[in-house]
Amino acid sequence: MKEFGAAIIGCGSIFKKHAEAIATLKGVTLLAVVDTDPSKAAEAAREYGCQAFTDYNEILDRQDIDVVHLCTPHYLHSEMAIDLLNAGKHVLTEKPIAMNLPSAWRMLEAAERSAGQLGVVFQNRYNEPSIRMKETIESGILGPLICMKGIVTWNRNDAYYTNSSWRGKWETEGGGVLINQTIHTLDLLQWFGGDIASIQGSITTDVLNGVIEVEDTAHAVIVFRNNVRALFYGTNAYLVNSPVELELVFEQGTLLLRRDCLYLFKEGKETLLFEPFSTALNSKSYWGTGHNRLIEDFYEHVKSGRDFWINGTEGIKALQLVMDIYNS
């Protein structure tokens, strides 16, 4: 079996999730880390026993590096991914796929030309409650889906933005709570609902005025072509990071994700369907626990030559939804 060499660009907060996942995979070795901050790159390289670089161009021609993980700020995703795909690398990028739709479309074009694959990290699709919700919709066991609700109430304080040179700015982050924090929940809603017929939404800056130029709060009504209606609310203005709440109402029952537990309400009875065992290592609880499974699945697809299912075409759907809310 071919041995795969990996690299990670960006040694920030999400870096460890990718590095630890790679460490668990047979036949995969982390060979390089890249960060424009030399101290961050050096520290990561020491911890994981690999080489450190400050310029990703130095790994483009490395024949021993097959897969590159992008854990960089939003505005860098497109340029880096295109260069890497043009060099024949497989690319797994953190969300969002890009900062805007034209940049994302250029990535898809590069992926079409490349021998490498493009994957997008929407790890919450791998969470057990999400899988069970999707299976319930597809099986029809509770009848047709009628409506959905997604609620995200998190906290991002002043320091989260003032300590970063790219967050909170339209030019580098591409938006606020919609494109960064709640995009995972929006992705699940569109994954469950399918093609979208109409969107009406609004954005406000309720708490972080003067700190950020983007929104910290948003809401939307999403109507799907199958007439399912979804209500969405997301904010960074809460004082804690509460677990995401999801509700799916069917003709014959309701599925509710509350505090990471999945419940079925049917015929006046509440049944616990899933309860998490523990929070994954090196994970914030609100990230979910699907990172390791997604990364492992991406490598399985790459090794076997199969197309990864959360590819550029699939990954752009959540970005399209975010942009449609902004445009509305």
Side-chain angles (χ1 to χ4, degrees), residues 121-139:
V121 177
F122 280 113
Q123 77 275 4
N124 287 355
R125 294 194 190 189
Y126 284 79
N127 293 347
E128 185 64 26
S130 303
I131 294 169
R132 294 196 186 191
M133 287 176 162
K134 182 69 169 177
E135 290 174 347
T136 301
I137 295 168
E138 293 179 342
S139 69

Side-chain angles (χ1 to χ4, degrees), residues 19 65 97 144 167 210 240 256 262 281:
I65 294 178
I97 183 173
R167 292 190 177 110
V240 296
L256 176 62
L262 184 64
L281 293 175

